[in-house]
Structure formats: structure tokens, C-alpha cells
Amino acid sequence: MPLYVVGSLTERIPDSGKQSIAQAITKVHCKTTGAPPGFVHVFFFDQTSQRATFEKLSGNHVASASYQIFGSIRSGRTDELKNTLVMGMRLAVAGILDAKFDDVLMATRDVDAKWVMEGGDLLPEPGEEAAWLEKHAS
Amino acid sequence: MITCTCFYQDGQIPSNIINQLGEGIENIGVSHKLGDGVDIQWIAIPAGQGWTAGEPSTSSVVTLNTPPIDQTQRIEILHDICNLWMELTDCQINEVLASVIPSA
């Protein structure tokens, strides 16, 4: 957690760009939230055959656009922080793909920390990140 | 019937192990009295499409949707899933992300 899935409605994302996109999404998430990069997952479902999978994962929350990002993130983030995440990732991905900003849409959903285990521990509740991060920083 | 979605990196887990993981998930459902069977969807992430920390991913993501349960039971199930994955796939604890989410 977080898990970001990336889809494409009209064109496949070039394989040569996927690592750059994954790194950009990771960087934005970590810079915005302070989370360590080791837990940031980015999966691509941009092939036509994967369209149904992406739509199921995103719950159709992302409006039709050339490129779509859907993030499952830990609940407790402020609207301001989530907006920073969304804007930052849209900008970064549009830049890498040489696409218009409005051609990259993104939505997120909140997942309760107590529902998720990573690194053998439940995710920390909002405000309890320090000890968890210290343990999982490597 | 409860549902389970399992993402794994294509080529990382042999098919016979996938089968054993499936049996293990079903056993978790039975032992925790979660319902009448588990509908498991396996999603293989092709090479070059899964990334963790900006590098090729070796992570599995397992999400189990259950009826409402208390947190004590949820934690037990989460540990069961993680232990199952580490035991059968030899993955590290950081390579399995498990979620147990109440169905809408």
C-alpha cells in the first residue's frame, strides 16, 4: 500500500516509459506523504485485453480518458494532500507520455489501515506513522 | 461465497504453487468460517508491468473480501495469508501485501 494501477483507453503506454512512470508516481507519493518507497506499488493494465481488469480495479471511478490512474491509498489523508497527490501524478505522467494534462485522469479510494498488512504489520493509523516508518524504513 | 483477488508477477509463482495457494486460501475461509467457499481470481502481471519502489516488482497483492468480522479475527486472517505466501512461495515478508476488506 499504496497500490496505483495505470490504464489506457486508447493507446498502449510504451514499455520504455513504464519504469519512468512508476518512478514518478512513487516519487510524488513519497514526497507528498513521507512514506518509504518500498511499499509503493504501480501496476499497469494498459493492454486492450486488460481493460476489464482495470475497470474492475478502478470501479469505474476514473472517467474515460486516454490515460487513467487509480490509487488505493491509506485512509486518513486530508483532501488537500490527496489533491496534491493527484495533481502531481497527473502532471508527471502527462510529461513522460508527452500528453495533455487533461488526457491523464486520476481518482483515489481510501482503504482503512486496519484492513491491510504489509511487511508483517498492520498499516499505521493516521498520526501513528513515526514508529511504523522507523521499523520499516529500510 | 467470499471473493479473493490475487495479483502476482507473471513467471514468479509456478502453476502447481498457485494451486496450493488456492487451496490454502480456501482453508483459511473454512477455518475462519467465512462462508460457503472462496471465489479466487488470479491476475498475473506481465513482465514490465509490475513495479515496486520504481523497480521491477516481486510482490504479490492479495485482497480477501469478507462479511463483517471483528478486528481480532481480521488480524489472524491477515497473518494466515502472509504466512501462506511465505511458506509456499519463499517470498520475503515485504513481498506480500494482504488486505481483508468487508464486502460492501
Side-chain angles (χ1 to χ4, degrees):
Chain A
M1 190 66 62
L3 172 61
Y4 292 98
V5 293
V6 184
S8 176
L9 189 63
T10 56
E11 303 174 24
R12 273 207 61 192
I13 296 168
D15 290 342
S16 59
K18 286 178 179 164
Q19 182 167 23
S20 295
I21 291 171
Q23 289 175 339
I25 288 173
T26 301
K27 183 177 179 181
V28 171
H29 183 92
C30 296
K31 182 179 177 183
T32 305
T33 67
F39 297 109
V40 181
H41 308 281
V42 180
F43 296 166
F44 290 81
F45 296 96
D46 60 309
Q47 300 177 27
T48 304
S49 61
Q50 299 173 311
R51 187 65 200 165
T53 299
F54 178 81
E55 289 181 352
K56 180 180 177 182
L57 291 170
S58 63
N60 287 325
H61 286 302
V62 189
S64 295
S66 294
Y67 305 102
Q68 301 159 331
I69 308 168
F70 185 74
S72 296
I73 62 176
R74 187 176 59 99
S75 63
R77 311 291 194 186
T78 64
D79 288 344
E80 180 182 2
L81 186 144
K82 284 190 272 190
N83 189 57
T84 300
L85 280 176
V86 170
M87 296 300 285
M89 289 180 188
R90 289 179 64 194
L91 272 170
V93 173
I96 292 168
L97 293 172
D98 196 24
K100 296 177 184 175
F101 177 75
D102 287 341
D103 286 339
V104 181
L105 294 184
M106 179 172 173
T108 64
R109 69 162 180 170
D110 287 348
V111 180
D112 280 10
K114 65 182 181 185
W115 294 345
V116 185
M117 181 169 283
E118 191 159 20
D121 288 320
L122 288 179
L123 293 185
E125 295 292 341
E128 299 178 359
E129 294 88 351
W132 199 95
L133 287 173
E134 186 176 341
K135 182 179 179 183
H136 295 280
S138 60
Chain B
M1 178 174 286
I2 64 172
T3 61
C4 183
T5 304
C6 303
F7 292 95
Y8 66 101
Q9 308 304 322
D10 196 17
Q12 185 172 334
I13 305 178
S15 58
N16 65 311
I17 301 298
I18 294 284
N19 291 338
Q20 292 178 44
L21 288 169
E23 290 173 3
I25 292 170
E26 291 187 6
N27 290 339
I28 289 171
V30 169
S31 67
H32 287 280
K33 298 180 173 61
L34 295 176
D36 187 19
V38 185
D39 179 15
I40 305 173
Q41 182 181 12
W42 294 96
I43 300 175
I45 302 168
Q49 299 198 197
W51 304 87
T52 298
E55 298 297 326
S57 184
T58 57
S59 296
S60 296
V61 178
V62 183
T63 301
L64 192 66
N65 295 96
T66 70
I69 56 175
D70 63 40
Q71 185 63 10
T72 300
Q73 185 178 19
R74 176 176 286 107
I75 293 172
E76 291 176 359
I77 295 169
L78 285 166
H79 278 298
D80 286 348
I81 292 171
C82 292
N83 290 338
L84 176 71
W85 240 257
M86 288 192 294
E87 180 182 330
L88 291 181
T89 72
D90 278 336
C91 72
Q92 301 299 306
I93 188 62
N94 285 348
E95 293 177 308
V96 55
L97 166 63
S99 303
V100 175
I101 298 176
S103 299

